[in-house]
PDB file of all heavy atoms in Angstrom:
ATOM      1  N   GLU A  41       2.146  40.020  12.479  1.00 94.00           N
ATOM      2  CA  GLU A  41       1.984  41.447  12.181  1.00 94.00           C
ATOM      3  C   GLU A  41       1.351  42.171  13.371  1.00 94.00           C
ATOM      4  O   GLU A  41       1.764  43.264  13.729  1.00 94.00           O
ATOM      5  CB  GLU A  41       1.145  41.628  10.920  1.00 94.00           C
ATOM      6  CG  GLU A  41       1.875  41.228   9.660  1.00 94.00           C
ATOM      7  CD  GLU A  41       0.993  41.273   8.420  1.00 94.00           C
ATOM      8  OE1 GLU A  41      -0.180  41.696   8.519  1.00 94.00           O
ATOM      9  OE2 GLU A  41       1.480  40.898   7.346  1.00 94.00           O
ATOM     10  N   ALA A  42       0.364  41.557  13.995  1.00 95.00           N
ATOM     11  CA  ALA A  42      -0.280  42.171  15.156  1.00 95.00           C
ATOM     12  C   ALA A  42       0.715  42.322  16.299  1.00 95.00           C
ATOM     13  O   ALA A  42       0.763  43.371  16.962  1.00 95.00           O
ATOM     14  CB  ALA A  42      -1.481  41.340  15.604  1.00 95.00           C
ATOM     15  N   LEU A  43       1.524  41.308  16.535  1.00 96.00           N
ATOM     16  CA  LEU A  43       2.532  41.370  17.591  1.00 96.00           C
ATOM     17  C   LEU A  43       3.562  42.452  17.302  1.00 96.00           C
ATOM     18  O   LEU A  43       3.972  43.194  18.202  1.00 96.00           O
ATOM     19  CB  LEU A  43       3.201  40.012  17.759  1.00 96.00           C
ATOM     20  CG  LEU A  43       4.228  39.886  18.868  1.00 96.00           C
ATOM     21  CD1 LEU A  43       3.600  40.206  20.226  1.00 96.00           C
ATOM     22  CD2 LEU A  43       4.818  38.483  18.887  1.00 96.00           C
ATOM     23  N   LEU A  44       3.977  42.564  16.058  1.00 96.00           N
ATOM     24  CA  LEU A  44       4.937  43.613  15.683  1.00 96.00           C
ATOM     25  C   LEU A  44       4.348  44.995  15.911  1.00 96.00           C
ATOM     26  O   LEU A  44       5.024  45.888  16.416  1.00 96.00           O
ATOM     27  CB  LEU A  44       5.371  43.453  14.223  1.00 96.00           C
ATOM     28  CG  LEU A  44       6.372  42.360  13.937  1.00 96.00           C
ATOM     29  CD1 LEU A  44       6.566  42.197  12.431  1.00 96.00           C
ATOM     30  CD2 LEU A  44       7.702  42.649  14.597  1.00 96.00           C
ATOM     31  N   ASN A  45       3.091  45.182  15.550  1.00 96.00           N
ATOM     32  CA  ASN A  45       2.445  46.471  15.760  1.00 96.00           C
ATOM     33  C   ASN A  45       2.345  46.807  17.248  1.00 96.00           C
ATOM     34  O   ASN A  45       2.605  47.946  17.662  1.00 96.00           O
ATOM     35  CB  ASN A  45       1.056  46.506  15.114  1.00 96.00           C
ATOM     36  CG  ASN A  45       1.138  46.599  13.614  1.00 96.00           C
ATOM     37  OD1 ASN A  45       2.095  47.109  13.061  1.00 96.00           O
ATOM     38  ND2 ASN A  45       0.113  46.095  12.934  1.00 96.00           N
ATOM     39  N   GLN A  46       1.970  45.823  18.057  1.00 97.00           N
ATOM     40  CA  GLN A  46       1.898  46.044  19.501  1.00 97.00           C
ATOM     41  C   GLN A  46       3.276  46.393  20.073  1.00 97.00           C
ATOM     42  O   GLN A  46       3.402  47.258  20.941  1.00 97.00           O
ATOM     43  CB  GLN A  46       1.349  44.808  20.206  1.00 97.00           C
ATOM     44  CG  GLN A  46      -0.107  44.554  19.922  1.00 97.00           C
ATOM     45  CD  GLN A  46      -0.571  43.220  20.495  1.00 97.00           C
ATOM     46  OE1 GLN A  46       0.214  42.425  20.996  1.00 97.00           O
ATOM     47  NE2 GLN A  46      -1.869  42.973  20.411  1.00 97.00           N
ATOM     48  N   THR A  47       4.293  45.728  19.564  1.00 98.00           N
ATOM     49  CA  THR A  47       5.655  45.989  20.033  1.00 98.00           C
ATOM     50  C   THR A  47       6.097  47.395  19.644  1.00 98.00           C
ATOM     51  O   THR A  47       6.694  48.116  20.458  1.00 98.00           O
ATOM     52  CB  THR A  47       6.628  44.943  19.457  1.00 98.00           C
ATOM     53  OG1 THR A  47       6.184  43.637  19.828  1.00 98.00           O
ATOM     54  CG2 THR A  47       8.051  45.163  19.939  1.00 98.00           C
ATOM     55  N   ARG A  48       5.784  47.797  18.415  1.00 97.00           N
ATOM     56  CA  ARG A  48       6.131  49.162  17.976  1.00 97.00           C
ATOM     57  C   ARG A  48       5.462  50.204  18.859  1.00 97.00           C
ATOM     58  O   ARG A  48       6.077  51.184  19.279  1.00 97.00           O
ATOM     59  CB  ARG A  48       5.705  49.375  16.519  1.00 97.00           C
ATOM     60  CG  ARG A  48       6.617  48.756  15.510  1.00 97.00           C
ATOM     61  CD  ARG A  48       6.229  49.154  14.087  1.00 97.00           C
ATOM     62  NE  ARG A  48       6.928  48.319  13.156  1.00 97.00           N
ATOM     63  CZ  ARG A  48       6.380  47.381  12.403  1.00 97.00           C
ATOM     64  NH1 ARG A  48       5.074  47.181  12.437  1.00 97.00           N
ATOM     65  NH2 ARG A  48       7.105  46.665  11.578  1.00 97.00           N
TER      66      ARG A  48
END
Side-chain angles (χ1 to χ4, degrees):
E41 289 174 4
L43 183 59
L44 283 172
N45 287 333
Q46 290 173 353
T47 303
R48 282 187 193 110

